[in-house]
Amino acid sequence: MQAMAAATSSSASGAWAAAAAASSSPSLLASRWRHVALPSSSSSSLSRCPVAGAGAPALPLGIRGGRMLLPSPLLLGKSGAAARKTVATAAAASPPADGGRKADGAISRTLQLGVMILVWYLLNIYFNIFNKLVLKAVPFPYTITTFQFASGSFFITLMWLLNLHPKPRLSLGQYAKILPLALVHTMGNVFTNMSLGKVAVSFTHTIKAMEPFFSVLLSVLLLGETPSFLVLGSLVPIVGGVVLASMTEVSFNWIGFWSAMASNLTNQSRNVFSKKLLADKEETLDDINLFSIMTVMSFLLSAPLMLSVEGIKFSPSYLQSTGVNLQELCIKAALAGTCFHFYQQVSYSLLARVSPVTHSVANCVKRVVVIVSSVLFFKTPISPINALGTGVALVGVFLYSRFKKVKPKAKTA
């Protein structure tokens, strides 16, 4: 055993001596390095060094032509420590590339949503103005609603024919699921037009500020959800503000009031079921095609309803007998139908991209914008109490949207 240890020691000493002797001659070191066999008892720093030669792996950085250019820690001193510290600091300071891409994506998404909300508001303002002008000239809400759905069906058919959006391929079962949505969508727009034809635009939207009340009611009845006390408390100023505004409304009409309330109920039902259908992973249907199919179905449903209730009264002979400018009326009706279709489509696209709470907040702000713009355009007389009631109702809607975001704290054992 002593002989073997001595042999091992002598061979190691010979290897180190050969390496030291060749250090003055780089070529000699390069030629001999591949024949040196390092012992297993070498230090950990040497055992990690690959051996250059035939069949050896690719040389890492710092090794050129078999020469190992690794600086000694003893020779680095303070400068080496500073260099290592500088490299570590630079690596820690450089942000990951994924974080930058995520930040850019969040900014882009926020800008896109902002543009969509702005377009939604503008189209809604112009729709309410043109629609009110048409309803004042021809007070036929079923006929106007059918005309608006016909305008939307025209744009949808054009979109599919020009391949601007892929055509849906649905089964009969999927169409059966969309049919109740189309029926609710039809009645919601009929009730809205009935209310707009009877009362001022500002009052209709003040009543429609009660949508959170119906949202909570439907969530309790259909989904079994229990609202928090803060959410229930926010409904008090909503209901109280609407009652206060209704008591002092100059254009108050019971048909217009209950039509707006029925519109709230139907529209909130449509939103709840639409969100549920869009969230169904088994349904290969996007938000644009869902709204498109629903619009076409609503047109097919509203046409016979119009004929049975109002008949064909929207005719040139009837319009001439009333003294209405036919060309001007047709232009306003076409603009109202165009704004109606695209503002509803943008609303559905937003509903698919944001949460229902965020959509409610944006809808609340939209209500304020529409009320103010309609009052300025039509010069609607508003008393201080009426303005106070409208403001209180809108503040309640805002509080509702804020309290709806608050999640109950988990109970700890």
Side-chain angles (χ1 to χ4, degrees):
M1 295 294 291
Q2 294 178 353
M4 292 178 63
T8 304
S9 176
S10 62
S11 62
S13 300
W16 287 112
S23 61
S24 59
S25 175
S27 59
L28 182 61
L29 177 61
S31 62
R32 292 184 179 180
W33 179 259
R34 62 173 56 91
H35 300 292
V36 176
L38 295 179
S40 59
S41 61
S42 302
S43 62
S44 59
S45 61
L46 291 175
S47 62
R48 290 195 298 266
C49 299
V51 178
L59 296 177
L61 295 177
I63 302 179
R64 298 184 181 89
R67 290 180 293 172
M68 188 164 53
L69 304 178
L70 297 178
S72 172
L74 298 177
L75 297 178
L76 286 173
K78 293 183 179 180
S79 62
R84 288 194 297 271
K85 185 177 180 180
T86 303
V87 173
T89 305
S94 59
D98 293 341
R101 284 194 293 268
K102 288 181 180 179
D104 293 341
I107 294 174
S108 176
R109 182 176 180 273
T110 303
L111 290 176
Q112 181 184 8
L113 291 177
V115 171
M116 291 177 68
I117 290 174
L118 180 61
V119 172
W120 182 31
Y121 288 1
L122 291 176
L123 291 174
N124 210 294
I125 291 171
Y126 283 107
F127 162 71
N128 281 278
I129 291 175
F130 289 126
N131 198 37
K132 179 63 176 179
L133 294 174
V134 173
L135 285 168
K136 286 175 66 177
V138 282
F140 304 130
Y142 292 91
T143 303
I144 298 300
T145 303
T146 304
F147 181 82
Q148 290 168 355
F149 285 137
S151 300
S153 300
F154 168 76
F155 289 114
I156 291 166
T157 305
L158 196 64
M159 175 186 71
W160 285 338
L161 290 177
L162 297 178
N163 292 323
L164 300 177
H165 193 78
K167 302 171 186 168
R169 299 182 181 275
L170 304 179
S171 62
L172 291 177
Q174 290 174 314
Y175 282 113
K177 289 182 179 180
I178 302 175
L179 183 59
L181 288 176
L183 180 59
V184 173
H185 184 59
T186 302
M187 297 310 300
N189 285 279
V190 168
F191 288 136
T192 300
N193 285 329
M194 288 177 65
S195 179
L196 288 172
K198 295 294 184 179
V199 297
V201 175
S202 57
F203 184 57
T204 297
H205 284 275
T206 300
I207 301 172
K208 287 176 71 64
M210 285 190 65
E211 283 183 352
F213 173 82
F214 290 95
S215 178
V216 172
L217 181 63
L218 291 174
S219 298
V220 172
L221 295 179
L222 300 179
L223 304 179
E225 296 180 355
T226 303
S228 64
F229 287 105
L230 291 176
V231 171
L232 290 176
S234 66
L235 299 180
V236 175
I238 294 176
V239 177
V242 171
V243 171
L244 190 63
S246 301
M247 291 173 59
T248 57
E249 174 60 35
V250 178
S251 64
F252 181 84
N253 181 281
W254 282 111
I255 296 178
F257 177 82
W258 288 114
S259 297
M261 295 291 273
S263 174
N264 287 336
L265 179 61
T266 52
N267 286 335
Q268 285 303 310
S269 302
R270 179 200 63 188
N271 289 344
V272 170
F273 290 120
S274 297
K275 194 72 177 179
K276 185 177 180 181
L277 187 62
L278 287 172
D280 192 354
K281 301 300 181 182
E282 297 180 358
E283 304 292 340
T284 57
L285 193 65
D286 57 17
D287 54 292
I288 295 179
N289 278 334
L290 174 60
F291 174 73
S292 301
I293 295 174
M294 202 163 54
T295 300
V296 176
M297 283 187 172
S298 296
F299 169 66
L300 298 176
L301 291 172
S302 62
L305 186 63
M306 174 199 71
L307 294 175
S308 61
V309 176
E310 296 176 349
I312 307 178
K313 294 182 179 179
F314 198 74
S315 60
S317 59
Y318 174 81
L319 295 176
Q320 288 178 0
S321 65
T322 57
V324 177
N325 188 331
L326 181 59
Q327 182 179 1
E328 182 179 352
L329 183 65
C330 289
I331 293 175
K332 291 178 181 178
L335 290 174
T338 302
C339 293
F340 168 80
H341 169 71
F342 285 106
Y343 104 73
Q344 296 246 17
Q345 183 166 326
V346 173
S347 177
Y348 252 77
S349 298
L350 279 172
L351 188 63
R353 286 167 172 79
V354 299
S355 65
V357 175
T358 304
H359 193 272
S360 298
V361 174
N363 199 38
C364 172
V365 179
K366 181 208 73 177
R367 194 87 62 205
V368 176
V369 173
V370 171
I371 289 174
V372 173
S373 61
S374 64
V375 168
L376 294 177
F377 183 84
F378 293 106
K379 299 179 180 179
T380 307
I382 296 180
S383 64
I385 298 179
N386 185 281
L388 177 63
T390 302
V392 169
L394 295 176
V395 168
V397 174
F398 177 77
L399 293 176
Y400 167 82
S401 63
R402 297 295 297 177
F403 294 151
K404 193 71 174 177
K405 289 183 180 180
V406 178
K407 296 181 180 179
K409 295 182 180 180
K411 296 181 179 180
T412 57

